Amino acid sequence: LSTILLFYSHYFAVLIIAVQNLYVLIKYKTLRSIIPKWFLSQFVILLCIAPRFIKTFSHKAIGEGGPNWIPSPEIWSPLLTIFKYMGLGVQIPNSIVVVIAIIFLLIGTVIYFLIIGKEKWMESLNQLIAVFKRSWNIRSETMLVVLWFFVPIALTLIMSEVLKPMYLSRYLICSAPACYILVALLI
């Protein structure tokens, strides 16, 4: 019931439904006992939101309807969304500044590699890989929050490129609480 009401309160809530289903798909083995109930609930949700979803999606996302004033998202739009969630008023950086920053990063990396040598570089790389392997076994709750934060942003960015521009930070407010939870976990 809450998922249906969520959808009818904002169309972008369909992204949260996608997150929920992706989470169940990833955790399928551990959630095997509730899968029949999950399918039943998803079927009911689909029946309840299908008429409005089909009408809205075909009219606003594919058809001529919907806002035409939204610009195509930039590559750093997700980063700016995070900054907006944090209350930081950041302007879009100039392309030249971004290119210069990337060049300095590459030059600094090469200099660091030359100073420490190939053996230490490979050792530190192996340590980094080991850390990622150990942290891959994150708790289920943390995985859900990570998905809740990144999936709506990524899907909206992809749909903005494939269909028509629809990426606005305020439309993705549904992932802001996940951002705050992740920051709290990092702290």
Side-chain angles (χ1 to χ4, degrees):
L1 181 61
S2 63
T3 302
I4 294 166
L5 293 174
L6 179 67
F7 174 78
Y8 280 102
S9 67
H10 197 284
Y11 301 130
F12 275 66
V14 76
L15 300 171
I16 299 301
I17 298 170
V19 168
Q20 293 169 351
N21 283 289
L22 181 61
Y23 177 76
V24 169
L25 185 66
I26 290 170
K27 301 298 286 180
Y28 176 77
K29 289 182 182 179
T30 57
L31 299 174
R32 194 173 289 176
S33 63
I34 66 162
I35 294 298
K37 292 177 185 177
W38 179 260
F39 278 121
L40 178 63
S41 70
Q42 295 308 298
F43 180 72
V44 170
I45 291 169
L46 184 65
L47 282 177
C48 291
I49 71 170
R52 184 67 177 216
F53 177 78
I54 292 169
K55 180 182 177 187
T56 303
F57 187 76
S58 63
H59 178 68
K60 292 186 178 184
I62 298 174
E64 296 298 319
N68 293 324
W69 53 270
I70 300 175
S72 293
E74 301 291 334
I75 191 71
W76 48 76
S77 292
L79 187 60
L80 293 175
T81 298
I82 295 169
F83 287 149
K84 287 179 183 175
Y85 289 167
M86 294 296 133
L88 305 172
V90 177
Q91 298 296 321
I92 297 175
N94 188 337
S95 299
I96 306 257
V97 173
V98 173
V99 170
I100 290 171
I102 291 171
I103 289 171
F104 274 113
L105 177 66
L106 292 175
I107 290 171
T109 303
V110 169
I111 291 171
Y112 179 74
F113 179 78
L114 293 174
I115 290 173
I116 69 164
K118 182 180 179 183
E119 293 79 26
K120 285 189 178 181
W121 174 269
M122 292 305 291
E123 182 182 326
S124 67
L125 188 62
N126 288 334
Q127 288 174 352
L128 182 65
I129 291 170
V131 166
F132 279 125
K133 284 182 181 178
R134 280 194 308 267
S135 64
W136 181 250
N137 295 327
I138 59 176
R139 294 184 8 216
S140 280
E141 298 86 1
T142 307
M143 180 189 301
L144 179 60
V145 174
V146 168
L147 291 172
W148 177 16
F149 178 64
F150 286 108
V151 170
I153 293 173
L155 283 177
T156 306
L157 192 64
I158 292 168
M159 289 188 307
S160 290
E161 292 298 324
V162 173
L163 300 174
K164 66 193 305 188
M166 62 181 77
Y167 188 99
L168 286 177
S169 296
R170 67 176 181 243
Y171 289 173
L172 296 167
I173 198 71
C174 61
S175 60
C179 179
Y180 305 139
I181 293 170
L182 289 175
V183 169
L185 288 173
L186 289 174
I187 291 173

